[in-house]
Amino acid sequence: MAQVTVTIDGKAYRMACEEGQEDHLTGLAARFDQYVGHLKSQFGEIGDLRITVMAGIMVMDELSELSRKVANLEAEVEKLNSARAGALEARDHNEQVLVSTLGELTGRLDSLAAKLTGRTSSLN
């Protein structure tokens, strides 16, 4: 386990993390410190615990909003995938109808060509 010292509201906290995650943890702590600093600038010194709880609630509010957006995007992707599947199915059906129709037309043209050829040979 790696050890990292992070600073929040001017206080150092020693924390453990997985190897290679030190920069990530330091970045998270810096972002959280910004929340704490923002709240302190708005409310002044109202107590470390209260500021920390308020900052945590702000972070959770943002996380909740992002989770809602992700869920909406996932639902939209599902709708688009379903519409795509329907469009592919319709395309396949249309191709089958087209092939069938072309087959029928080819048969008719062959029949007409045979009749015309038969008439031409009987005139000679």
Side-chain angles (χ1 to χ4, degrees):
M1 276 275 175
Q3 295 283 321
V4 176
T5 300
V6 298
T7 304
I8 297 176
D9 194 26
K11 296 172 189 75
Y13 298 92
R14 188 137 183 93
M15 307 188 87
C17 64
E18 296 289 325
E19 293 291 334
Q21 294 296 311
E22 298 89 352
D23 289 342
H24 181 66
L25 180 57
T26 302
L28 292 173
R31 287 177 56 197
F32 189 75
D33 187 48
Q34 289 176 343
Y35 283 94
V36 171
H38 171 74
L39 289 170
K40 274 192 143 177
S41 70
Q42 283 192 325
F43 298 107
E45 294 292 332
I46 60 173
D48 290 346
L49 184 59
R50 188 170 179 194
I51 289 286
T52 303
V53 169
M54 290 171 68
I57 289 172
M58 286 176 66
V59 169
M60 293 309 297
D61 181 48
E62 283 187 21
L63 179 62
S64 174
E65 180 64 18
L66 290 172
S67 293
R68 185 189 64 75
K69 286 180 180 179
V70 166
N72 287 342
L73 289 171
E74 286 173 341
E76 183 67 22
V77 165
E78 184 60 35
K79 275 200 276 186
L80 291 171
N81 282 336
S82 180
R84 179 181 175 269
L88 290 173
E89 197 173 298
R91 182 199 67 190
D92 290 345
H93 174 73
N94 290 340
E95 284 179 359
Q96 289 174 0
V97 169
L98 180 62
V99 166
S100 175
T101 302
L102 286 174
E104 290 175 20
L105 288 173
T106 300
R108 287 182 183 175
L109 286 172
D110 286 346
S111 176
L112 286 172
K115 287 180 183 178
L116 288 173
T117 305
R119 285 189 192 159
T120 304
S121 61
S122 64
L123 293 175
N124 289 335

